[in-house]
Each structure stands twice: as structure tokens, then as C-alpha cells.
């Protein structure tokens, strides 16, 4: 019963957070740091298409995880394998998921993966999800200026569970860009 309550709560908060209005300030001059990351398992669903389909994909992910009795072990994450600047919207490749215990064995259409990028550039985006590209651009510029290159997909970790009434200025998303020294 606790698992179903946890899932329902995560689903309501996360899905409702996607419908927050977009006008908001984004974090200017993101503070970028380099972190060493311990590998972790996550359960996800991969999708090809526009980010506007994210709410539907997250709903499917949560339903499949609940039907397979898979309990999240942390906040939701999204991984971006392509970016809107250089990819047609219909061809964008991304996935959404949750960290899970390493022994979990999900069935189709879920996949268990391991985040095994040992070094990331990290910053916290403050503001609406729609403006997170500004923070990512700042991070990539910082990486270039400091001798790092991107070495994997961008990960977003949602740090708070907002409601539809949450002002965008209160939204916090931790962004990781896997990197290596150039």
C-alpha cells in the first residue's frame, strides 16, 4: 500500500509540474561545478518526438512501473540524447525515468540502465522547464572555457515537486552534462 501511495504522490506532483506556466526568469550566470558521480541504476522509457509529449510518456512510465511493482529510489530524471537546436522536433530522442534498486528487472517497454558517466558538469537551473536551455548553454560555454567537452547525454534531475500553483521562480532542476577534459 505504501508503494502505491508513493507512486501516486510522485505521479501527481511530477505530472502537474509539467503544466506550470512558462513566463519566468531563468538562472543567469549558472554556477557550474565538476562532480565525480557514482554509477546508479535507473528505469526509463525512451521516446522519439517533441518534448510536448513528455507528460504522456511520464504517465505511461509511472503506470508501467506501478504495474511491475518497481519502486522509485529517487527523484525523476530526464535524459536528452538530441537537442532542439540541431534536431527536428519530431526526431528529438529523450527518455524519462527514476533511479531504482540495482536488482530491479523491468519488462518491456521499460528498460533498466546504468548512469556510468563518472564526471559531470553540474548546475542548478532555477525557473521554468522551458528556459532550462539557457542554463545548458551557459554550462556548455563554461565547459568550453575551462577545457571540458561533453561526453554523453544531458540529464535533468527534478529537485522539487511543484504543484500547478508553484511559481516558476521556485522550480529547481539539477542539470548534469557528462564531460571529460579536452
Amino acid at each position: 500500500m505504501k508503494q502505491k501511495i508513493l507512486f501516486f504522490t510522485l505521479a501527481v506532483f511530477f505530472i502537474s509540474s509539467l503544466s506550470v506556466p512558462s513566463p519566468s526568469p531563468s538562472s543567469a550566470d549558472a554556477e557550474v561545478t565538476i562532480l565525480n558521480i557514482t554509477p546508479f541504476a535507473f528505469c526509463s522509457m525512451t521516446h522519439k518526438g517533441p518534448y510536448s509529449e513528455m507528460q504522456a510518456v511520464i504517465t505511461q512510465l509511472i503506470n508501467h512501473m506501478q504495474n511491475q511493482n518497481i519502486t522509485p529510489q529517487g527523484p525523476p530524471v530526464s535524459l536528452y540524447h538530441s537537442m532542439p537546436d540541431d534536431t527536428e522536433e519530431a526526431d528529438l530522442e529523450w527518455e524519462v525515468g527514476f533511479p531504482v534498486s540495482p536488482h530491479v528487472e523491468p519488462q518491456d517497454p521499460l528498460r533498466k540502465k546504468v548512469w556510468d558517466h563518472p564526471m559531470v558538469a553540474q548546475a542548478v537551473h532555477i525557473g521554468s522547464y522551458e528556459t532550462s536551455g539557457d542554463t545548458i548553454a551557459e554550462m556548455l560555454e563554461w565547459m568550453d572555457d575551462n577545457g571540458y567537452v561533453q561526453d554523453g547525454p544531458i540529464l535533468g534531475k527534478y529537485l522539487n515537486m511543484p504543484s500547478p500553483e508553484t511559481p516558476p521562480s521556485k522550480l529547481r532542476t539539477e542539470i548534469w552534462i557528462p564531460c571529460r577534459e579536452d
Side-chain angles (χ1 to χ4, degrees):
M1 185 64 160
K2 279 185 179 179
Q3 180 181 17
K4 288 187 183 211
I5 292 170
L6 172 66
F7 245 125
F8 179 74
T9 303
L10 283 172
V12 168
F13 283 130
F14 189 65
I15 291 170
S16 68
S17 73
L18 296 175
S19 61
V20 173
S22 61
S24 72
S26 65
S27 49
D29 300 321
E31 185 176 323
V32 181
T33 57
I34 299 296
L35 299 177
N36 293 311
I37 303 298
T38 302
F40 64 90
F42 63 96
C43 179
S44 70
M45 283 185 61
T46 302
H47 188 75
K48 185 175 183 179
Y51 298 143
S52 61
E53 296 173 351
M54 189 170 290
Q55 184 171 349
V57 175
I58 291 167
T59 300
Q60 292 173 7
L61 167 72
I62 290 171
N63 287 337
H64 287 296
M65 287 179 68
Q66 188 172 19
N67 289 339
Q68 295 181 35
N69 293 317
I70 300 172
T71 304
Q73 300 294 308
V77 298
S78 54
L79 281 85
Y80 302 96
H81 302 283
S82 56
M83 299 307 285
D85 291 347
D86 56 3
T87 306
E88 292 292 322
E89 193 174 59
D91 295 326
L92 289 170
E93 293 184 32
W94 47 275
E95 59 190 290
V96 292
F98 286 93
V100 294
S101 298
H103 69 277
V104 166
E105 294 186 30
Q107 304 301 307
D108 282 337
L110 303 178
R111 296 281 183 258
K112 181 174 80 174
K113 298 182 177 182
V114 175
W115 179 268
D116 60 358
H117 301 282
M119 184 174 18
V120 301
Q122 177 269 348
V124 175
H125 171 73
I126 301 169
S128 72
Y129 303 122
E130 291 86 357
T131 61
S132 62
D134 298 340
T135 300
I136 292 168
E138 288 180 38
M139 293 174 69
L140 290 169
E141 183 178 330
W142 182 94
M143 289 168 56
D144 188 50
D145 291 348
N146 289 277
Y148 293 94
V149 294
Q150 184 175 348
D151 194 27
I154 296 172
L155 179 139
K157 185 185 334 179
Y158 303 97
L159 299 179
N160 55 352
M161 296 292 190
S163 71
E165 294 81 33
T166 304
S169 63
K170 300 288 184 189
L171 297 175
R172 305 282 186 270
T173 307
E174 184 174 354
I175 298 172
W176 291 357
I177 302 177
C179 61
R180 60 179 166 73
E181 293 186 61
D182 192 13

